[in-house]
Amino acid sequence: MKKIVVLVSGSGSNLQAIIDSCQSKLIDAQVAAVISNKPDVFALERAKQAEIPAHVINHKDFTSREEFDEVVAKQIDQYQPDLVVLAGYMRILTPKFVQHYTGKMLNIHPSLLPKYPGLHTHRRAIEAGDSEHGTSVHFVTEELDGGPIILQAKVPVFADDNEEDVASRVLVQEHQIYPLVVKWFIAGRLMMKDGQAYLDNERLPAQGYC
Ligand code: GAR
C-alpha cells in the first residue's frame, strides 16, 4: 500500500478530504501520518478520529528554519512515504527540504496562481475587485507557491462577499480537486520532469487544467 504523509497547520479540512478519499478507495493509498507545526489544531483531532499517527513539531521550539525542517524531514522519512502533501501547511520551506522531496511533494494554494502567491489571497482578490478567484494544486519547488501547476478550480466572487464567503467557496472546490490530484499521483499518472508537470506523459499547460 502506498503511503502519504500530510503536513498541516490548521483546521485540516483538506486532510479530511484526503483521508475520506483513501477510505473510499478513490485514492489507492493510506495516510500514514499527519504532522502539524502547531499544537491544538483541529487537524490533529481529525487524525486521531481516523486512527492515524499524528506528530506535533512546534516551529516555535526551534531557532532556525533549517533546524526545524531537518526535524520535520526526519519524522516524515520514518514513514518512507511515496508522497508528501501540504494541506494548509503555513510554513516557508527551506531549499534543502524542498530538494529532498522534489517531484513528490504537492501543495494547495488558495488562489488562481500565478496570481496572489503568499498570504491573504481572498482579501487581495476582493480588494482588487476580481470577479473570479480560486485554488491551485501544484508541485512544490523552491519558489514560494511557484511550482508547476497541475489543476485549478475557479469560484465566482460577488460584490457583497467578505473573506469568509470566498474562503468557504474555495474550500468546497479544494476538497474536490486535491484528492483527484493525489489519486493521479498515487496511480503513477502524474510527475514532475525538468520543472514541468506531466499527466499521462503529456505536459500540462502552464496554468494546469482548470
Ligand atoms: C486552504 O484553503 C488552503 O488552500 C490554504 O489554507 C487552507 C487550509 O484549510 N493553504 C494556504 O494558504 C497555504 N499557503 P484546511 O486546514 O481546512 O485544509
Side-chain angles (χ1 to χ4, degrees), residues 124-143:
R124 285 152 74 198
I126 292 168
E127 283 174 0
D130 294 354
S131 58
E132 207 170 61
H133 184 50
T135 183
S136 310
V137 179
H138 64 94
F139 278 109
V140 177
T141 61
E142 286 182 43
E143 189 190 340

Side-chain angles (χ1 to χ4, degrees), residues 78-107:
Q78 290 206 345
Y79 291 94
Q80 298 186 294
D82 299 280
L83 176 66
V84 177
V85 167
L86 309 183
Y89 184 61
M90 304 304 281
R91 298 298 301 162
I92 290 176
L93 309 171
T94 56
K96 193 175 165 197
F97 185 87
V98 172
Q99 283 156 19
H100 188 57
Y101 300 106
T102 301
K104 45 186 280 189
M105 183 157 61
L106 299 172
N107 182 42

Side-chain angles (χ1 to χ4, degrees), residues 8-16 43 46 86-91 107-111 117-122 134-136 138 144-145 167 170-171 174-175 178:
V8 297
S9 306
S11 136
S13 67
N14 279 289
L15 163 69
Q16 190 69 58
R46 295 182 192 272
L86 309 183
Y89 184 61
M90 304 304 281
R91 298 298 301 162
N107 182 42
I108 192 157
H109 180 76
S111 78
L119 298 174
H120 310 302
T121 57
H122 307 316
T135 183
S136 310
H138 64 94
L144 177 71
D145 302 322
V170 165
L171 278 171
E174 292 191 332
H175 302 159
Y178 213 1

